[in-house]
């Protein structure tokens, strides 16, 4: 699957409190959450993000709270994939479970800037910066995690597996 | 090859003779936990699966974040959880009046035991490592799926051994130990790893210290934090835990990816400056910093010993006129004991407010939200931008002694400055 989009670029340790502040956690409706996504780190995000856009960040993206509302908000805002140097583990699990693809490409994120257009091949895990021509390879997902991703998330996977 | 405590517990619940770091396993869970924010989406996902719950005694539901309900939407979420608990005859549903902050409550009432595998849709579920359990935070979908299947998947974490030597000096608490460690290794220093605490220094750590330390393992990015089971643990769980359990001990030849040594004798009271828990400084070296609010409570420091420390500082003194001091006992049990021991009276006479148990202000929910430009010292666990309110407010993390001393002096202060 090929995804192509414009980059929203963030730094280290983007925590789930800035992705979706707790003052908005009195709902789990994805559209309501998306309206406040990234509000405390980038007030321009929710109003300007376009379907197909991509988030690129540095280390430890999604640290902090286990709120699944964070990847839900990102996905509902139209973001198709998040690329980072590294991800915090609960965010990583949650994103896989709700069907938001993530790619971990290490320090290669340094070669991607805000507004760049990047092209991602999820099956091979390659990230191409269309502007510069640079190509970066992500760590492949373990087979079992790929199965959850292919099923569209954990609930479908459990239903299909029946066990 | 020997295994760590975490590896041994995971291997046993996965039905395997051995596991190694990086291995993906399917693992039985002994307890599945959720709160008023994370349970409603979990219930939705659970209902999509269309199966009965796996065990009505092994699901714990604690509405503690926005309770007592702060607004209509929160009331609806709490109602969803209450009705689910009733429908499925969940044994361990804790209503307002009987509840507490989940990670204060569960150890107190004996629901977590050594050797357990526990998942909770709350990142501070790692608290239960203090009693020698493997406990980790997950999201709502994981919780929903586990309520149906009774199992979950894990990647076996590699381990960091935290070797503690020496004895905790006066005014230094578990909070200073964990903040010091996070200051050393950073907020992603243990990412995907287990923090395994060990060493002769454990002997001077109370169960409250250990619960505080394990609680903030997530703030170093860890999957879990875990303590060996010793005389302190056994004394704590005696009379609380009624189910059968099996203590697990790390093998002598267990393999650790890294060893960090902390000499407790060298520790001093510390504070984490905004906006990351890794921005740790000695309190004595922080330039004069005036404050507007103090919070003493939370799943990190809402236990009776924490309130005792705060009361010790506040007894016969007054909260500084410019400070709002908010004390939140972590459970009804803690509240009652604090009342019986006179701490509540001490706080009220000092000019502090005492609240019913709630996570409230820690996550910027209610009961003490900060305005733009305001600054709080809090015994909570996160000082991310906007965590306790306005995006331009600031949170300084400390233990109860420092928080209480700061409340009295109106600025970030050491206990010695108050008692001098």
């Amino acid at each position: 699957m090929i995804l192509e989009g414009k980059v929203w670029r963030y730094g280290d340790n983007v925590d789930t409190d800035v992705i979706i502040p707790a003052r908005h956690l009195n709902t789990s409706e994805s559209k309501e959450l998306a309206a406040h996504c990234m509000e405390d780190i980038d007030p321009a995000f929710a109003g300007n993000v376009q379907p197909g856009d991509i988030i690129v960040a540095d280390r430890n993206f999604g640290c902090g709270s286990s709120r699944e509302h964070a990847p839900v908000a990102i996905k509902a805002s139209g973001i198709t994939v998040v690329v980072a140097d590294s991800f915090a583990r609960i965010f990583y699990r949650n994103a896989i479970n709700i069907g938001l693809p993530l790619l971990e490409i290490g320090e290669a994120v340094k070669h991607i800037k805000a507004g760049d257009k990047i092209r991602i091949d999820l099956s091979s895990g390659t990230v191409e910066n269309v502007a510069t021509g640079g190509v970066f390879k992500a760590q492949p997902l373990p087979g079992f995690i790929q199965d959850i991703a292919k099923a569209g998330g954990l609930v479908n996977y459990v239903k299909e597996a029946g066990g | 090859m020997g295994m760590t405590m975490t590896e041994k517990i995971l291997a046993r619940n996965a039905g395997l003779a051995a596991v190694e770091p990086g291995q993906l396993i399917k693992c039985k869970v002994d307890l599945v936990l959720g709160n008023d924010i994370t349970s409603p989406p979990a219930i939705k996902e659970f209902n999509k699966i269309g199966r009965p719950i796996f065990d009505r005694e092994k699901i714990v539901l604690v509405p503690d974040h926005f309770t007592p309900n702060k607004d209509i939407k929160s009331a609806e979420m709490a109602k969803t959880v209450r009705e689910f608990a009733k429908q499925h005859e969940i044994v361990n549903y804790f209503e307002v009046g009987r509840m507490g902050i989940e990670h204060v409550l569960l150890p107190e009432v004996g629901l977590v035991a050594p050797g357990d595998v526990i998942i909770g849709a709350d990142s501070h579920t790692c608290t239960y490592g203090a009693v020698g359990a493997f406990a980790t935070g997950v999201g709502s979908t994981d919780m929903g799926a586990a309520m149906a299947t009774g199992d979950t998947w894990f990647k076996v974490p590699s381990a960091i051994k935290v070797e503690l030597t020496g004895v905790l000096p006066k005014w230094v608490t578990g909070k200073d130990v964990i903040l010091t460690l996070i200051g050393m290794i950073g907020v992603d220093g243990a990412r995907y790893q287990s923090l395994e605490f060990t060493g002769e220094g454990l002997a001077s750590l109370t169960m409250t210290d250990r619960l505080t330390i394990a609680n903030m393992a997530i703030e170093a990015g860890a999957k879990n934090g875990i303590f060996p089971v010793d005389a302190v643990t056994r004394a704590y769980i005696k009379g609380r835990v009624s189910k059968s359990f099996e203590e697990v001990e790390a093998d002598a030849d267990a393999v650790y990816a890294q060893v960090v040594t902390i000499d407790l004798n060298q520790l001093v009271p510390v504070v984490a400056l905004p906006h990351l828990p890794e921005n740790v400084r000695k309190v004595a070296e922080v330039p004069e910093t005036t404050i507007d609010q103090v919070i003493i409570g939370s799943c990190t420091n809402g236990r009776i010993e924490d309130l005792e420390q705060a009361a010790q500082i506040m007894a016969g003194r007054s909260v500084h006129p410019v400070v709002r001091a908010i004390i939140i006992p972590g459970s009804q049990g803690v509240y009652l004991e604090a009342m019986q021991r006179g701490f509540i009276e001490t706080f009220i006479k000092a000019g502090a407010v005492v609240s019913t148990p709630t996570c409230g202000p820690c996550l910027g929910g209610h009961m003490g939200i900060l305005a733009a430009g305001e600054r709080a010292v809090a015994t909570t666990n996160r000082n991310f931008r906007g965590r306790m309110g306005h995006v331009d407010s600031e949170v300084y993390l400390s233990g109860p002694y420092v928080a209480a001393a700061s409340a009295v002096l109106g600025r970030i202060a050491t206990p010695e400055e108050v008692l001098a």
Side-chain angles (χ1 to χ4, degrees):
Chain A
M1 189 177 175
I2 309 288
L3 302 168
E4 194 170 303
K6 185 179 74 102
V7 169
W8 293 81
R9 189 70 171 82
Y10 300 103
D12 287 335
N13 304 316
V14 173
D15 61 79
T16 54
D17 278 272
V18 293
I19 295 173
I20 183 71
R23 59 183 175 273
H24 304 303
L25 294 186
N26 56 6
T27 179
S28 51
E29 279 305 314
S30 59
K31 287 294 168 201
E32 280 184 63
L33 295 171
H36 301 287
C37 188
M38 309 304 273
E39 188 169 271
D40 281 357
I41 190 175
D42 184 358
F45 177 85
N48 293 290
V49 63
Q50 296 297 317
D53 284 358
I54 293 167
I55 287 177
V56 178
D58 294 322
R59 284 165 50 187
N60 203 28
F61 186 86
C63 63
S65 156
S66 67
R67 61 189 71 162
E68 202 164 286
H69 311 63
V72 166
I74 290 173
K75 192 180 177 193
S77 73
I79 294 287
T80 52
V81 53
V82 184
V83 179
D85 180 329
S86 62
F87 291 94
R89 61 160 287 277
I90 305 178
F91 180 89
Y92 188 90
R93 261 185 106 93
N94 288 347
I96 300 290
N97 284 345
I98 65 147
L100 172 68
L102 305 178
L103 289 177
E104 209 163 63
I105 63 169
E107 290 185 353
V109 291
K110 302 287 176 214
H111 303 290
I112 304 173
K113 299 191 307 296
D116 283 355
K117 189 183 245 192
I118 62 174
R119 186 182 298 134
I120 289 172
D121 182 343
L122 278 185
S123 47
S124 65
T126 52
V127 178
E128 182 188 353
N129 190 329
V130 178
T132 65
V135 178
F136 318 105
K137 189 97 174 112
Q139 294 284 340
L141 291 176
F144 163 70
I145 308 292
Q146 279 188 34
D147 292 343
I148 295 179
K150 273 187 207 145
L154 182 66
V155 167
N156 287 340
Y157 175 79
V158 170
K159 280 166 82 172
E160 285 169 19
Chain B
M1 193 175 74
M3 289 191 285
T4 64
M5 267 185 93
T6 295
E7 288 162 358
K8 280 173 100 165
I9 294 171
L10 290 178
R12 197 194 54 205
N13 270 40
L16 299 168
V19 296
E20 56 182 48
Q23 189 176 344
L24 283 162
I25 55 166
K26 196 170 173 183
C27 194
K28 279 192 304 185
V29 292
D30 297 297
L31 214 59
V32 180
L33 167 72
N35 58 51
D36 50 321
I37 294 181
T38 58
S39 298
I43 290 166
K44 197 169 155 191
E45 298 307 314
F46 168 84
N47 287 337
K48 284 185 198 163
I49 296 171
R51 283 197 235 166
I53 56 166
F54 84 105
D55 190 330
R56 72 190 194 98
E57 292 185 9
K58 292 185 176 174
I59 294 169
V60 183
L61 300 171
V62 188
D64 59 356
H65 277 58
F66 290 159
T67 52
N69 303 331
K70 76 180 180 101
D71 55 28
I72 295 170
K73 284 180 167 180
S74 306
E76 296 292 343
M77 297 198 305
K79 188 178 168 194
T80 300
V81 181
R82 184 179 304 116
E83 286 176 349
F84 178 83
K86 195 174 172 196
Q87 183 192 345
H88 294 276
E89 299 175 321
I90 302 292
V91 176
N92 293 299
Y93 166 75
F94 293 90
E95 189 55 90
V96 169
R98 294 168 190 84
M99 53 73 85
I101 296 172
E102 49 196 332
H103 312 307
V104 175
L105 182 70
L106 267 60
E108 183 184 298
V109 299
L111 282 171
V112 297
D116 277 355
V117 171
I118 302 162
I119 62 168
D122 187 281
S123 61
H124 293 108
T125 301
C126 53
T127 308
Y128 315 130
V131 300
F134 171 85
T136 192
V138 297
S140 294
T141 298
D142 275 320
M143 178 191 168
M147 287 198 297
T149 63
D151 61 36
T152 194
W153 64 272
F154 292 118
K155 187 163 90 173
V156 177
S158 64
I160 298 179
K161 182 179 185 175
V162 183
E163 181 94 39
L164 303 173
T165 63
V167 177
L168 274 189
K170 193 168 173 56
W171 308 124
V172 178
T173 68
K175 186 64 163 283
D176 301 299
V177 176
I178 187 64
L179 286 177
T180 300
L181 175 64
I182 296 166
M184 289 165 74
I185 67 175
V187 292
D188 67 347
R191 208 170 49 86
Y192 289 92
Q193 295 182 291
S194 67
L195 285 170
E196 314 245 342
F197 296 90
T198 179
E200 37 137 317
L202 291 176
S204 74
L205 299 181
T206 64
M207 189 48 67
T208 299
D209 289 321
R210 297 175 192 200
L211 288 159
T212 301
I213 292 169
N215 172 271
M216 287 188 70
I218 177 70
E219 263 57 69
K223 182 171 214 148
N224 67 310
I226 194 164
F227 283 78
V229 179
D230 63 7
V232 173
T233 326
R234 291 184 199 108
Y236 179 81
I237 62 176
K238 195 176 174 195
R240 298 179 195 270
V241 176
S242 55
K243 64 181 178 183
S244 64
F245 62 88
E246 195 186 328
E247 291 179 13
V248 172
E249 196 176 12
D251 291 327
D253 59 346
V255 178
Y256 300 91
Q258 187 186 345
V259 179
V260 176
T261 304
I262 296 180
D263 180 359
L264 300 178
N265 292 322
Q266 303 300 316
L267 297 189
V268 295
V270 293
V271 62
L273 312 185
H275 291 284
L276 280 178
E278 70 183 21
N279 295 336
V280 176
R281 302 284 185 280
K282 295 175 181 173
V283 177
E285 293 176 2
V286 175
E288 174 148 340
T289 308
T290 56
I291 57 171
D292 305 285
Q293 179 167 294
V294 167
I295 299 285
I296 298 173
S298 85
C299 62
T300 313
N301 285 114
R303 300 179 183 84
I304 193 69
E305 196 176 306
D306 299 309
L307 299 194
E308 183 179 15
Q309 290 169 5
Q312 200 182 331
I313 302 290
M314 287 193 182
R317 298 186 176 82
S318 291
V319 170
H320 193 276
V322 303
V323 175
R324 302 156 337 236
I326 301 169
I327 319 269
I328 309 180
S331 69
Q332 292 290 86
V334 171
Y335 204 151
L336 188 59
E337 188 175 344
M339 193 180 75
Q340 289 162 345
R341 293 175 64 184
F343 303 155
I344 305 289
E345 188 174 338
T346 296
F347 296 139
I348 292 175
K349 282 183 172 165
V353 68
V354 185
S355 154
T356 188
T358 180
C359 304
C362 172
L363 76 159
H366 62 151
M367 287 298 297
I369 305 302
L370 299 173
E374 288 192 328
R375 203 176 275 150
V377 173
T379 67
T380 57
N381 41 59
R382 293 193 175 126
N383 55 353
F384 300 148
R385 193 174 290 281
R387 170 83 175 172
M388 198 174 280
H390 194 279
V391 66
D392 294 326
S393 61
E394 294 183 345
V395 177
Y396 292 69
L397 303 175
S398 78
Y401 283 130
V402 171
S406 303
V408 169
L409 294 178
R411 58 176 171 82
I412 293 175
T414 62
E416 286 102 328
E417 290 177 83
V418 171
L419 299 176

